[in-house]
Amino acid sequence: MADLREIDTAKPVPRHVAIIMDGNGRWAQQHKLRSRLQGHEAGAESVRAALRACDALHVRYLTLFAFSYENWKRPKDETDGLMRLLSRFIEDNIGELMERGIRLRAIGRLDLMPADTRAVLDAAIARSRGNAKLDLVLALSYGARQELVDAARSIAAAVQEGGLSPAAITEQTIASRLYAPDVPDPDLLIRTSGEFRVSNFLLWQISYTELYVAPVLWPDFREEHFYDAVRDYQRRDRRYGGR
Ligand code: IPE
Ligand code: IPE
Ligand code: MG
């Protein structure tokens, strides 16, 4: 596994890394724990490890898929537990986020989240608004198709009001109506737990993102795994359809 010294800083380092943090349930099962929630709980340290790696490599944006729109289909004890863990993670880490210049943001259908979790999240977002070293974007209650539906509704409303003609709609019109329009597209997307699928994450934004699948389950993910992914990324030739 790679350590930091093996990253060639003369080569491009991704400016925006996105991670599908998968495998918590399997990790709990593997460790013969009673509840999947214990796997989710263990995943908090992996988030901290990813933040340390971003810090070391000067990654500017980190987007984490923490809870999908479709994850609401899971049993209520699991979704309640996940929301509780999220509040706790924010409360336990906001001091450190502030110290390290990390701005917390969130994308997704946040109106579906419980009011108490939402309050903790909103407070941390407001408090860290002035930080500019790293944007930590949490995808919560997030689905890329829902994001595109919301963008389509906003465009349709603008057309109906007469401010926009259909012929004037461009890629930029759509991109500017996504949940975090100022965040550049991810350069690198990592999915843990060895699954080769995108699961409704950032469909618009990953058109030319480099994909990396790590076999490790999310609670076992550490800086070295992040560096492995970056090292792999540095070997890619990004052509964007050109030659
Ligand atoms: C990822 O772990 C966390 C969430 C989706 C919230 P999973 O809970 O999907 O764990 P596996 O994939 O079942 O192992
Ligand atoms: C994707 O993982 C969502 C998150 C990591 C939050 P899932 O475990 O929900 O995805 P599927 O069901 O394996 O596609
Ligand atoms: Mg999963």
Side-chain angles (χ1 to χ4, degrees), residues 22-23 26 36 74 191:
D22 197 19
R26 278 164 282 170
R36 293 170 56 84
R74 296 189 182 191
R191 183 169 186 149

Side-chain angles (χ1 to χ4, degrees), residues 20-26 36 40 71 74 191-193 195 197 199:
I20 301 174
M21 311 185 289
D22 197 19
N24 299 350
R26 278 164 282 170
R36 293 170 56 84
H40 298 313
N71 287 150
R74 296 189 182 191
R191 183 169 186 149
T192 59
S193 88
E195 300 293 0
R197 58 176 172 265
S199 302

